Amino acid sequence: MLTTTDRAAGPARTTHPAGPAHRLPADGRLTVLGNPGHRRVTLFTAAARAAGLPEPTVLPWLDLLRGGYRLPAGTVLRIESPGEEEAVDALLRRPALGARYAPTRVEGGAAWYAGVTAALRALARTPGVRLLGDPEEIAVMFDKRRAHALLSHAGVPVPRALDGAAVTGWDDLRARLDAEGLRRVFVKPSHGSSASGVVALEFGPRGQLRATTSVELADGGLHNSLRVRRYQEERAVAELVDRLAPDGLHVEQWVPKASQSGRSADLRVVVVAGRATHVVVRTSAQPMTNLHLGGARGSLELARQAAGPAWPDLLETAERAAACFPNSPMVGVDVLPTAAWRRAVVGEVNAFGDLLPGLPGLPEGPAEGLDTYAAQLAALGAPATTTATAATTATAPSAPPHLTIHPRTEQPR
């Protein structure tokens, strides 16, 4: 069965403010669950220093997964991504892949997901510990099928998607696409990130087939690559899908995006405390706009000009998606503007979509002049510090201003 959610906006809603659970402790001390030395941790630490807060303590993901940690009562803990740390990845995926494991392997996403979500749920049960983030909401965001269903139910515009039973392999996928009349789709691992395993699939009018992906078929398995490639032989495409299917697949219609300077364009919108605070325009000559796959940052000013009076609606679309995760103080929303920048659908909602070093907040927005980490600290009640200050200064400026990010009060248009 096919579900479609590019429809009317549904009931009016307002975005959520930062509630008491999302406030700094009295002493300003935070703990960060992350990978020590990773830029996510170091950038957040720099922002905390610049705001005059004590340097955060780091709880390594490796310690959490191994059970070798203790958190005192009263700990306020920020959850960071477990990604880009080989020891963590191996601990999560090696049991499923065995001797076939390699850091570049695409498979094993279901095991990774099970390990991460179980660890976060256990952490949430630690007495006296307050999390800046909700493990159950993170679990939904890391499951593309569940996230799509949640957004759809809330009336947020998303691409049409295959619904019903899990896709079992290539023959099943092809038959279901034929039945629905879908000729261009994205096939996504349910628990993937950073475009790992994503396949842009096209069927031509005379039976032609093309799959565009960064996956390399090699050594009897699938490996991530920084080079986007195309497969046009059905045997190769079938092997791709058959090897991806056991970890779960989300299949959605390939929505034609707007363009900028002759390249496809979409938006990563960071939403903090319910408000759109930062936007990156991502452009590419390929279907995937991820920067590590050859995408490039586009012009925010050109995007605003192209959207014209529809620009606030694009931001509001991101805020409506974020409102589906009311206990998450920050999310990164992938907004896909359609032709002419007048409408948009939401591609994904990312629990850790704020790694945008040096990006200032939107002009005249609630976090103008702040990077993504300073904006989040300000929403928690910390003194606001400019992007330049947070990036270069280890101590807070004298008598810094205080920023409160207020939710929108106007009704969605």
Side-chain angles (χ1 to χ4, degrees):
M1 184 172 66
L2 192 71
T3 60
T4 176
T5 54
D6 186 5
R7 60 191 185 198
R13 65 170 63 242
T14 55
T15 53
H16 59 279
H22 297 152
R23 304 299 294 175
L24 285 173
D27 62 4
R29 295 185 179 277
L30 296 171
T31 297
V32 177
L33 170 62
N35 295 319
H38 189 274
R39 54 186 176 159
R40 290 181 179 273
V41 172
T42 58
L43 287 168
F44 182 78
T45 297
R49 286 182 190 144
L53 301 178
E55 181 159 333
T57 301
V58 179
L59 168 60
W61 262 100
L62 206 55
D63 289 356
L64 175 67
L65 293 170
R66 289 173 172 168
Y69 70 96
R70 288 186 180 181
L71 294 173
T75 296
V76 178
L77 186 134
R78 170 185 168 84
I79 303 171
E80 267 294 0
S81 171
E84 299 184 56
E85 175 59 50
E86 185 173 336
V88 171
D89 182 71
L91 186 64
L92 292 166
R93 294 197 298 137
R94 191 187 297 275
L97 297 177
R100 298 176 297 137
Y101 172 78
T104 59
R105 285 295 288 262
V106 176
E107 303 98 309
W112 182 96
Y113 176 77
V116 167
T117 54
L120 290 178
R121 286 166 177 152
L123 187 62
R125 294 191 294 268
T126 305
V129 172
R130 176 158 59 91
L131 304 184
L132 298 175
D134 186 310
E136 296 307 321
E137 291 186 356
I138 292 172
V140 173
M141 283 184 267
F142 268 114
D143 187 325
K144 291 179 173 59
R145 294 189 69 184
R146 291 179 66 192
H148 185 278
L150 177 65
L151 295 170
S152 171
H153 182 73
V156 176
V158 292
R160 298 161 61 196
L162 287 184
D163 196 5
V167 174
T168 59
W170 171 246
D171 291 340
D172 178 38
L173 175 63
R174 182 148 197 176
R176 290 167 70 174
L177 293 179
D178 284 345
E180 298 292 352
L182 287 173
R183 313 304 297 169
R184 300 176 82 231
V185 295
F186 276 98
V187 180
K188 302 179 178 182
S190 293
H191 311 300
S193 61
S194 302
S196 175
V198 172
V199 180
L201 188 61
E202 302 173 83
F203 297 90
R206 294 181 295 279
Q208 311 98 309
L209 178 65
R210 181 166 67 181
T212 304
T213 180
S214 62
V215 175
E216 180 181 4
L217 278 166
D219 298 330
L222 308 182
H223 292 261
N224 281 308
S225 168
L226 294 178
R227 183 172 71 84
V228 176
R229 62 199 71 215
R230 290 185 173 87
Y231 297 95
Q232 294 179 289
E233 295 183 0
E234 185 168 358
R235 177 195 59 79
V237 178
E239 183 176 354
L240 274 174
V241 175
D242 287 344
R243 288 186 175 275
L244 290 170
D247 280 321
L249 292 174
H250 172 66
V251 182
E252 64 185 30
Q253 186 177 32
W254 180 342
V255 176
K257 299 177 185 175
S259 64
Q260 185 176 103
S261 302
R263 295 159 61 92
S264 295
D266 63 18
L267 307 174
R268 164 63 59 85
V269 182
V270 176
V271 181
V272 177
R275 293 294 308 276
T277 58
H278 298 73
V279 175
V280 167
V281 182
R282 305 183 300 185
T283 71
S284 180
Q286 307 290 350
M288 288 78 75
T289 58
N290 302 73
L291 302 182
H292 70 285
L293 295 178
R297 288 193 183 189
S299 166
L300 179 62
E301 183 56 35
L302 287 179
R304 296 183 68 158
Q305 290 176 7
W311 179 252
D313 296 328
L314 299 182
L315 299 184
E316 188 176 75
T317 297
E319 292 175 349
R320 290 174 56 206
C324 294
F325 303 92
N327 296 313
S328 297
M330 182 283 307
V331 296
V333 184
D334 291 344
V335 175
L336 317 180
T338 54
W341 293 85
R342 294 299 185 268
R343 300 179 64 202
V345 296
V346 172
E348 296 183 18
V349 181
N350 304 272
F352 307 115
D354 56 352
L355 184 58
L356 301 166
L359 180 72
L362 286 167
E364 301 178 2
E368 183 174 10
L370 306 181
D371 69 12
T372 58
Y373 298 106
Q376 290 171 72
L377 286 169
L380 292 172
T385 53
T386 65
T387 297
T389 301
T392 61
T393 307
T395 58
S398 59
H402 184 80
L403 173 77
T404 301
I405 297 182
H406 298 286
R408 287 190 188 275
T409 56
E410 65 267 25
Q411 297 299 313
R413 286 177 288 275

